[in-house]
Amino acid sequence: MVNNQYFQNGGIGRMYDYLIVGAGLFGAVFAQQATKSGKRCLVIDRRRHIGGNVYTEPVEGIQVHRYGAHIFHTSDEQVWKYMNQFARFNRYINSPIAVYQNQIYNLPFNMNTFYQLWGVRTPQEARQKIREQVAPWQNREPNNLEEQALCLVGEHVYVKLIKGYTEKQWGRDCRDLPPFIIRRLPLRFTYDNNYFSDHYQGIPEGGYTAMIEKMLAGCEVQLKTNYFDFVREHPNVAKKVVYTGSIDEYFGYRLGVLEYRGLRFETQTLPCDNYQGNAVVNYTQREIPYTRIIEHKHFEFGNQPNTVITHEYPCEWKRGMEPYYPVNNARNQTLYEQYQQLAQQEGRVIFGGRLGEYRYYDMDKTVRSALDTVQKELSHS
């Protein structure tokens, strides 16, 4: 149970096995497994809530994803069974649509998309159209993301569905982005709008926050707590630290700052029962400043009289802002590896999660990483 008053009630003298920094998915999995094994865990988080970026909160009876859409999907049966201990997942299938110049296209790129683009109805016709589109770019070594995309899918898919969206996401022209960002673009020659091909998919009924709270049962949790201030006051509160914050911040940015892309969210309640008819609608023109609109009620098939929508705006990231997407170019990868070498010298600290490992993790990969990390740790403790 979350208990913000714990340290005001005289508990600070107690010694913990693990101080877990971050009440997000990685920290919650580690805490749950360690507690189950008889370890005493204290979880702290600088935010006012548990759940990290998967945090949801009710508005108008609708579970609102405060940090962007989170759809759980996996082909890892062990991870799926593990998560189902703490939540019942609904039957939600992620089927986003894209808007370009007021035309609607299905995502991912599939036969519905190709029909909307070219009027083709068979896989053979679609493949022929794509061959014609990519022909001018074959046998060329792409020098940037634009050329890479043209080699893979041709001009129409690139211009209408990739170019503007990608430039908004990264804040750069596609000709100034490296080709490795899109080494492959999956094309599906079936009429299937399911964005993910994983065996299991859904949203926890009642939201992610309730799920995380169940995972943290049996742990002490203190919110609105800065790790660095806390350990200065209580340096010996735990035998080990599980750190899920930014790895460069942990080391005081002594080697330099790892780069991220930022996001800004504008959420509003509207007096209508259905704003856009889909949970996620992408806007692929660069002239439209937001990348997508999320209508939260559709994640749980809601029929409330009002609705809640969120516009999502990518933005430049600066120190002090919430980091979202690692910028995995050569400079940042080299810098992260240098920080990783420092991390290996921290005998009492375990680094994990998307910030601690500088990776853009899907949720199931975060859970898998946490399960593997805690299993390894407990086997040696």
Side-chain angles (χ1 to χ4, degrees):
M1 181 176 180
V2 176
N3 179 8
N4 286 322
Q5 302 303 315
Y6 179 71
F7 287 103
Q8 284 74 28
N9 294 337
I12 194 59
R14 301 170 69 183
M15 182 70 171
Y16 292 87
D17 294 294
Y18 296 102
L19 170 63
I20 298 171
V21 184
L25 202 51
F26 188 99
V29 171
F30 193 104
Q32 188 275 327
Q33 288 286 279
T35 301
K36 182 181 176 182
S37 297
K39 304 298 183 181
R40 297 180 58 212
C41 298
L42 170 63
V43 181
I44 64 172
D45 200 292
R46 60 181 175 78
R47 290 174 172 169
R48 63 176 178 84
H49 58 74
I50 61 173
N53 283 359
V54 304
Y55 170 69
T56 56
E57 66 177 347
V59 178
E60 299 283 336
I62 299 163
Q63 288 294 328
V64 173
H65 296 217
R66 282 298 182 192
Y67 301 95
H70 285 84
I71 299 100
F72 196 89
H73 58 97
T74 188
S75 291
D76 188 327
E77 187 173 3
Q78 183 184 9
V79 165
W80 181 248
K81 288 181 176 178
Y82 174 78
M83 296 304 292
N84 274 265
Q85 297 176 84
F86 312 104
R88 179 178 177 179
F89 284 78
N90 67 17
R91 57 181 177 82
Y92 178 80
I93 298 295
N94 190 30
S95 303
I97 59 175
V99 177
Y100 178 80
Q101 294 184 346
N102 291 323
Q103 297 296 309
I104 297 233
Y105 300 93
N106 288 103
L107 299 174
F109 310 136
N110 67 74
M111 285 302 301
N112 289 308
T113 322
F114 306 144
Y115 176 77
Q116 292 150 352
L117 284 167
W118 305 309
V120 297
R121 295 176 56 187
T122 69
Q124 292 76 20
E125 291 174 312
R127 285 191 173 96
Q128 178 57 35
K129 195 71 178 176
I130 290 166
R131 279 195 292 269
E132 294 170 3
Q133 293 261 313
V134 303
W137 297 93
Q138 295 305 289
N139 303 317
R140 296 193 194 182
E141 184 66 30
N143 296 308
N144 53 52
L145 187 147
E146 178 172 288
E147 293 178 3
Q148 176 74 82
L150 291 168
C151 287
L152 294 170
V153 295
E155 182 179 2
H156 290 174
V157 174
Y158 168 65
V159 169
K160 293 186 176 184
L161 301 176
I162 297 172
K163 177 177 167 61
Y165 191 92
T166 303
E167 290 179 343
K168 287 188 286 189
Q169 281 283 75
W170 292 98
R172 308 284 187 279
D173 190 287
C174 284
R175 286 167 290 190
D176 297 325
L177 292 169
F180 71 79
I181 291 176
I182 52 166
R183 293 194 188 279
R184 56 187 297 272
L185 288 168
L187 302 174
R188 297 183 187 172
F189 296 95
T190 58
Y191 289 90
D192 182 3
N193 297 323
N194 184 353
Y195 196 84
F196 303 119
S197 58
D198 290 307
H199 292 302
Y200 309 106
Q201 181 175 172
I203 304 282
E205 295 179 358
Y208 284 98
T209 303
M211 180 190 74
I212 296 291
E213 186 155 1
K214 289 180 181 178
M215 297 170 77
L216 292 175
C219 303
E220 297 291 346
V221 179
Q222 178 156 316
L223 304 177
K224 295 185 289 187
T225 301
N226 178 281
Y227 166 72
F228 302 101
D229 295 336
F230 183 79
V231 294
R232 274 195 294 270
E233 295 178 22
H234 314 295
N236 300 313
V237 70
K239 297 174 185 176
K240 280 195 171 183
V241 173
V242 178
Y243 185 82
T244 69
S246 299
I247 190 170
D248 54 344
E249 183 181 16
Y250 178 88
F251 290 105
Y253 307 103
R254 71 177 74 163
L255 304 177
V257 178
L258 291 166
E259 296 174 295
Y260 293 85
R261 285 292 288 164
L263 290 174
R264 179 171 61 86
F265 304 99
E266 291 185 358
T267 299
Q268 59 188 130
T269 301
L270 300 178
C272 65
D273 66 344
N274 191 352
Y275 175 75
Q276 63 185 15
N278 204 50
V280 181
V281 178
N282 292 354
Y283 288 80
T284 60
Q285 288 173 252
R286 187 165 185 178
E287 296 76 17
I288 296 174
Y290 46 86
T291 50
R292 58 184 180 175
I293 298 177
I294 301 164
E295 188 168 9
H296 301 270
K297 71 189 310 177
H298 297 305
F299 289 128
E300 295 195 68
F301 315 104
N303 56 8
Q304 297 87 353
N306 294 331
T307 195
V308 181
I309 65 169
T310 298
H311 290 72
E312 191 170 305
Y313 297 83
C315 61
E316 290 292 333
W317 176 85
K318 297 178 181 177
R319 269 180 58 179
M321 296 174 61
E322 183 65 37
Y324 285 94
Y325 303 110
V327 180
N328 292 125
N329 57 22
R331 178 258 177 196
N332 284 301
Q333 187 58 35
T334 298
L335 183 57
Y336 167 67
E337 289 170 0
Q338 292 171 349
Y339 275 120
Q340 196 176 30
Q341 291 175 8
L342 292 179
Q344 290 169 357
Q345 300 169 24
E346 296 283 309
R348 292 181 56 248
V349 183
I350 299 165
F351 293 84
R354 65 184 180 91
L355 302 181
E357 299 178 65
Y358 197 65
R359 288 189 185 181
Y360 180 66
Y361 271 133
D362 286 334
M363 284 186 287
D364 67 320
K365 301 302 189 297
T366 301
V367 174
R368 167 49 64 195
S369 176
L371 287 172
D372 290 346
T373 300
V374 70
Q375 181 180 16
K376 180 180 178 182
E377 169 65 17
L378 294 174
S379 69
H380 292 98
S381 64

